[in-house]
Amino acid sequence: MSTVVLSKTSSYDRTMQLFGGMWFMLLALGVAFKIGSSPDDPWPSLLSSVCLAVFYVLLALLTITRPPAKAQAEGLRPRIAAFVGTYMPWSIALFGKTDQALPNLASTACVLIGMIMMLVTIRHLGRSFSLVPQARNVVQTGPYRWIKHPLYLAEEIAVLGVVLKNPSLLTAILLVLHIGVQICRIHYEEDLLRRNCPEYSSYEASRWRVIPYVW
């Protein structure tokens, strides 16, 4: 029975890897197509678009190459939260963009900061990187020395960058909804780690979740 469950989990994970990689590559191509079709855009807008396209390619590669887990959250809700939290906010890039210099420069800064933070975090995560809440081991190096979920913080900064490039009431609402979904993902992940990694209890007692001295 356990072999069958493991096989189903592996098949699901491979399918999600393929789907996720294709989705982010399509988004990268969509942004690149916009760059090619509007070369006369102001340079802050072009710079922001290039950074966003590179970031989508990075997300595609990270999604496709992430390793298998030894345990993951059970049930439909954690999977839905992971799916929505991972893929929904990046569709904001499909909305109309602004040509104003300040929002585009702020967008570029946020995307670059988020991308660098994500790369640094994943370097320390190694084989513990995942999308659906999964248990591998408790990483306590790099940014994990200070907060428990630096990858979520990096992602949220990058999402803010996408919103700044595509400012509207709708994208602001999507940002707020995404933050709510990410909070749910954090709780699912922590519950899974408590049940599968005995050392996690002492680790979480001495760390902030996302923002030091706030939460």
Side-chain angles (χ1 to χ4, degrees):
M1 177 63 109
S2 60
T3 304
V4 175
V5 173
L6 180 60
S7 177
K8 289 181 178 179
T9 301
S10 299
S11 298
Y12 170 83
D13 202 44
R14 285 194 296 270
T15 301
M16 293 305 297
Q17 282 180 278
L18 180 61
F19 173 83
M22 290 176 60
W23 170 245
F24 287 127
M25 285 303 296
L26 284 173
L27 287 176
L29 288 173
V31 174
F33 177 77
K34 289 181 180 179
I35 296 173
S37 63
S38 54
D40 296 328
D41 280 354
W43 70 265
S45 178
L46 291 175
L47 178 62
S48 176
S49 296
V50 169
C51 289
L52 188 57
V54 171
F55 187 63
Y56 284 150
V57 172
L58 172 65
L59 288 176
L61 294 175
L62 291 174
T63 301
I64 292 172
T65 59
R66 74 182 190 272
K70 66 180 181 181
Q72 65 181 21
E74 299 177 353
L76 192 59
R77 284 184 295 179
R79 294 175 186 268
I80 292 175
F83 184 87
V84 173
T86 301
Y87 302 121
M88 179 269 288
W90 308 114
S91 61
I92 292 173
L94 302 176
F95 293 82
K97 58 186 178 66
T98 180
D99 291 329
Q100 296 181 20
L102 187 58
N104 275 293
L105 290 174
S107 170
T108 300
C110 287
V111 171
L112 285 175
I113 291 170
M115 182 164 54
I116 292 169
M117 288 177 61
M118 190 173 291
L119 288 172
V120 171
T121 301
I122 290 174
R123 177 180 175 275
H124 287 275
L125 270 178
R127 295 184 62 83
S128 296
F129 171 66
S130 65
L131 299 181
V132 176
Q134 296 175 339
R136 291 178 174 86
N137 57 10
V138 180
V139 178
Q140 303 185 40
T141 60
Y144 288 91
R145 288 178 293 176
W146 301 290
I147 57 176
K148 292 184 288 183
H149 304 282
L151 194 58
Y152 288 116
L153 177 60
E155 184 178 358
E156 221 54 51
I157 292 173
V159 171
L160 176 60
V162 181
V163 171
L164 289 171
K165 183 173 178 60
N166 306 269
S168 69
L169 177 60
L170 177 58
T171 56
I173 292 173
L174 288 175
L175 175 62
V176 173
L177 290 175
H178 183 251
I179 292 173
V181 171
Q182 295 293 70
I183 291 173
C184 291
R185 293 177 72 185
I186 285 172
H187 286 296
Y188 288 136
E189 182 178 310
E190 289 180 350
D191 179 64
L192 184 69
L193 287 169
R194 287 189 201 101
R195 289 186 283 108
N196 291 276
C197 301
E199 68 272 27
Y200 186 72
S201 295
S202 60
Y203 167 77
E204 71 168 338
S206 59
R207 304 294 193 282
W208 294 92
R209 279 193 169 98
V210 179
I211 303 175
Y213 304 103
V214 177
W215 186 64

